[in-house]
Amino acid sequence: MSHLAKSAIGRGKIIRSALLLLSCSLFLVCTTAQAQKNWDGDDSAGNFDWWNNWYGNSDPRVGWGFGVDLNFNFQNNATPTVLNYNLGGWFDIGNIVWRDTYNKSMTLSGSSGGISFKQKLENYSSFGQTVTMDLSGGKSGATAIELNPVNGNLTMSGNLYNDFSNDYLVFGTTGKTLTLNTTLGVGNTAANVDFSVEQASNVQVNNNQTWAGTTTVKAGSFKTGSTVTLASSGIVVSGGTFETTSANVVVDTGAVSLSSGEYKLGGNDTVASLTVSGGILSTANGSTLTAASYALNGGTVSANLGAGTVNASSGTTLLSGTSAAANVNVQGGTLNTGSANRLDNGAAVVVSSGILGMGGNDIIGSLSTTGGTVSGTGTLTAATYALNGGTVSVNLGAGTVNASSGTTSLSGTSAAANVNVSGGLLSLASVNRLADTAAVAVSSGTLAMTGSDTIGSLSTTGGTVSGTGTLTAATYALNGGTVSVDLGAGTVNASSGTTSLSGTSAAANVNVSGGLLSLASANRLADTAAVAVSSGTLGMGGNDTVGSLSTTGGTVSGTGTLTAATYALNGGTVSVNLGAGTVNASSGTTSLSGTSAATNVNISGGLLSLASVNRLADTAAVVVSSGELAMGGDDIIGSLSTTGGTVSGTGTLTAATYALNGGTVSVNLGAGTVNASSGTTSLSGTSAAANVNVSGGTLNTSSANRLADGAAVAVSSGTLGVGGNDTVGSLAASGSGVVTVASGRTLTANGNSSITGSARATGGTVAIANNSNLNLANSSATTSSDLSIGSGSTLAGTGGTSGQIKGSGLLSPGNSPGILTSGSVDLSGGIDFAFEFTAAGAPTYSLAGNSKNDLLHLTSGSAPFSGSFTTGNTVSFYFNDAGLSASLASVTPTTYLGGFFVDSSSFDIAGLLSNATKQYFIAAAGGSTSFNGVSYNLMSSEVADRIILSNVNQSGADFTTGTVNGTVLGVMAVPEPSSGSLLLAGIGSLLVLRRFRKKA
């Protein structure tokens, strides 16, 4: 080398030394020029063993050591492209640095051996540098291996040994790139170390990496090339960008943590866990990151997530990618889905705190809330929704809602087909939250309404349905719990349990088939409701009006009055009071222990039992056509009508009228009027009715003393059957009426009575009590009863009986005059007789009502009289014939036929009368005795002694009942033979006025 050249070289070295000193002072990396191994690159070849490539042309093999840095300061010769480590073997050095004065991109290479450096391999130059030789870092107590592209790119293509397992750090704030074309940590010496991008440098990884520690990106970027894999156990992104460009980069057991910056997913990958508390997890190609668990506690996840479990416990996370996680747990913070269909269709989503914010429609497997909020837009659809706490403001789709604990506010809508509340509180925040077809079941807890809603059905077995507005369903199965909300139209069914209805019900049908449905207060049911109770209990809480009540069993109880248009009482117990309307009983057994204000009570079957007194309205019209009405004590009604069935029980049933046209009445009847017009009625109870009218059918009394003693009994048609001894006020049998008295029994009338027309009395005895009259104008052929005449009473008329006439009263045939027929007469009671004679000769037998002379026709020819006449039997003869006076004054006797006619020829009537007390009266104006409206005077004994009684055989007596032969009594008035004129003149003086006296 020429001196000039050396001088130039020397001058250059002086300048480079000055620059080196300046560089050392600026970067504080040099102590003295002698403490550094400095490269100035003077030689045309970049060999390490050329002395002139080093400061001071020093021996390149001298001055190495961990306390000395290898500084590439200059490349004075621009020819070389390679820094060729050709010293052979290994040399130690502190840090390897390309200084900012270095002015060319070079490749640091070597053929054998290598350089062991303490901690840093860094490029301060603005030119990219490449290392292809073997290096070994982290020596001499170093805490890390730094690969720093400070001002220029740095490419690693050679081996880098990490014998002491130091972490890899990357520094540099200018955005330059560290490219790894090699695997760091050759062999097994560097498996458990970390790699961290500490500043805003970029790391491009083009070769698989084996470090098993954590890969951290705090700034800048970390990007893997195609097919590159990382053995790192964790990826931590707290700033900058971590980017993969292919699938399966991160080891499956790795944990990914993203708190800031961005994780760019370039291909599907599987890791053990993902934790996001900030930053962005993104993908440009729709790739999926799969992990066992995903802790989403902040940031944005726009990449797709695979299977596993998503957990959100804090922060705000936007999930704009999809998630295939089987479980999504929101325990705090906010997890927002960025759009529709972000979650897996089979995902089990659990929200216990925080917010799950939906960004559109989504389908999942199940939703469970114990707290927090599920909000957002669109509809979240799941098979089941376990709402056990928190707030759900998003709309829910089809499926089943289950609430079993906690307090949940549903401010979104639900299209769930089934809503089950078994505990806690499910609060609907506003109107129309549930599906119109939803089947809602409450077994415990509370369903709270906030406004009107329509559902398919409501079923309660416990718990509470409360709130405002009206809940409307097709059916309401109320089998337990409390319903304080108002119910709309539909059908209420109660079959078990105890339900309190404190809200109102607009249901058209209310069916109680078991349990207890308790109405908490008045007016709970719809005014038009059809209420049916077949079992269980309907408990009223006050006055209520319904359309109808029907019972076939169970109980209707409570307070107040239940009013309906109709009450079909066909079983069970009604202890509540019933209002106005109509009671109908057609089957079953019903006990009415409450009162009824019904205006109509109809019994057509079954048993309606009144449990106590005064159960029916005083104006009720009671009709019994079949079945039974059983009284539980005294009651007053408006009217009773029977066409069948039974009226039984205790106490007295009082009505204005009793239409007894069939059935059995075993209860006692009060005052009023009994009317029987059809059917057959058995009266086994008593009747206090003042009037008993039989105009058709049959009214039978079953035993003694059934009719009131003062009753006016009228039988105009049909039959009055008297089954025992009985006393009435009067008896009027007329038309085709029949009075049948049981054999051996007596019907006694206390007042004037009559049997007229085709009427008849059969069987037993018809008795006329003292001081009354019985007029017969009937057919004797059809009347067979015995007739008994009480003392002071009169039996008269033109009818009769085939039975016997007896008693102690007066028998006076005809009606001025006439014929009365009897089978026989019992004389033992002291019966009296009165006969009127108006013409001499025989009576007109064929004219019972105008026979001229009274006649008692006795048809029992063999025994027409029972007993004998005594003085206790008075027979009175009333002569209302002017011819009698002439006869008595003449010499010619006059004979009257009448009095008694016996259907037996040659019967000694006159002989029997010999022991009777006989009285003879003659008509006289102003007479002292009145008989049949005519005044009479009693004949004196002198005149009476000239009245001769005889027996006259009468053939061909043409009675209306047939022509007979018999004996008729002859009454002959005989004048005094010696002095007829004197007799006539003295008749007036012979008459002695005597008052009729009843013989005892």
Side-chain angles (χ1 to χ4, degrees), residues 775-820:
N775 183 64
L776 297 179
N778 62 317
S779 170
S780 61
T782 58
T783 296
S784 61
S785 295
D786 291 348
L787 302 178
S788 179
I789 313 165
S791 175
S793 299
T794 300
L795 173 59
T798 58
T801 178
S802 61
Q804 188 176 72
I805 298 175
K806 55 188 175 181
S808 58
L810 175 65
L811 193 159
S812 178
N815 293 299
S816 188
I819 300 173
L820 189 145

Side-chain angles (χ1 to χ4, degrees), residues 226-237:
S226 177
T227 71
V228 169
T229 61
L230 301 177
S232 181
S233 61
I235 307 297
V236 177
V237 182

Side-chain angles (χ1 to χ4, degrees), residues 123-482:
N123 180 15
Y124 277 97
S125 77
S126 58
F127 297 91
Q129 307 301 328
T130 300
V131 179
T132 61
M133 66 174 293
D134 291 344
L135 299 176
S136 180
K139 303 296 186 178
S140 185
T143 58
I145 297 175
E146 296 183 23
L147 305 174
N148 302 326
V150 178
N151 291 320
N153 298 331
L154 180 62
T155 299
M156 299 293 296
S157 297
N159 294 324
L160 176 60
Y161 295 90
N162 188 356
D163 296 334
F164 295 101
S165 299
N166 285 294
D167 295 335
Y168 302 105
L169 302 177
V170 178
F171 290 93
T173 61
T174 59
K176 300 303 180 180
T177 299
L178 169 66
T179 299
L180 300 179
N181 294 326
T182 184
T183 298
L184 302 183
V186 177
N188 297 321
T189 59
N192 296 312
V193 299
D194 299 332
F195 186 101
S196 178
V197 182
E198 296 287 320
Q199 292 179 332
S201 296
N202 300 314
V203 176
Q204 174 64 48
V205 181
N206 295 326
N207 207 43
N208 298 336
Q209 300 300 321
T210 59
W211 66 77
T214 299
T215 298
T216 300
V217 180
K218 297 179 179 178
S221 68
F222 183 100
K223 183 177 182 180
T224 61
S226 177
T227 71
V228 169
T229 61
L230 301 177
S232 181
S233 61
I235 307 297
V236 177
V237 182
S238 59
T241 300
F242 179 91
E243 181 178 2
T244 66
T245 59
S246 60
N248 303 316
V249 172
V250 181
V251 67
D252 290 355
T253 57
V256 175
S257 175
L258 173 63
S259 60
S260 185
E262 184 173 4
Y263 189 122
K264 292 183 178 182
L265 186 64
N268 297 333
D269 215 332
T270 299
V271 297
S273 65
L274 169 67
T275 300
V276 181
S277 58
I280 301 172
L281 173 61
S282 65
T283 181
N285 57 6
S287 296
T288 299
L289 179 62
T290 301
S293 64
Y294 311 87
L296 306 185
N297 298 317
T300 298
V301 178
S302 59
N304 298 325
L305 302 180
T309 298
V310 169
N311 297 307
S313 59
S314 62
T316 298
T317 304
L318 174 62
L319 177 62
S320 57
T322 63
S323 166
N327 298 282
V328 177
N329 303 314
V330 180
Q331 302 157 334
T334 299
L335 175 59
N336 291 321
T337 62
S339 58
N341 301 318
R342 298 299 90 190
L343 303 180
D344 187 74
N345 289 353
V349 178
V350 177
V351 181
S352 58
S353 185
I355 298 173
L356 172 61
M358 308 305 299
N361 297 334
D362 219 320
I363 298 175
I364 58 175
S366 65
L367 171 66
S368 173
T369 70
T370 56
T373 300
V374 183
S375 63
T377 60
T379 299
L380 178 60
T381 301
T384 60
Y385 311 87
L387 305 185
N388 297 316
T391 298
V392 179
S393 60
V394 74
N395 295 333
L396 301 180
T400 298
V401 169
N402 296 308
S404 59
S405 62
T407 297
T408 304
S409 172
L410 177 61
S411 56
T413 62
S414 166
N418 297 282
V419 177
N420 303 313
V421 180
S422 59
L425 167 62
L426 176 58
S427 176
L428 307 183
S430 60
V431 300
N432 300 321
R433 297 300 89 189
L434 302 181
D436 289 353
T437 57
V440 178
V442 181
S443 58
S444 185
T446 300
L447 172 63
M449 313 298 299
T450 306
S452 299
D453 217 321
T454 299
I455 58 176
S457 64
L458 171 66
S459 171
T460 70
T461 55
T464 300
V465 183
S466 64
T468 60
T470 300
L471 178 60
T472 301
T475 60
Y476 313 86
L478 305 185
N479 296 317
T482 298

Side-chain angles (χ1 to χ4, degrees), residues 85-90 109-115 133-134:
Y85 177 80
N86 56 355
L87 299 179
W90 287 85
S109 65
S111 58
S112 62
I115 301 174
M133 66 174 293
D134 291 344

Side-chain angles (χ1 to χ4, degrees), residues 713-726:
V713 178
V715 182
S716 60
S717 184
T719 300
L720 172 63
V722 180
N725 296 330
D726 218 324

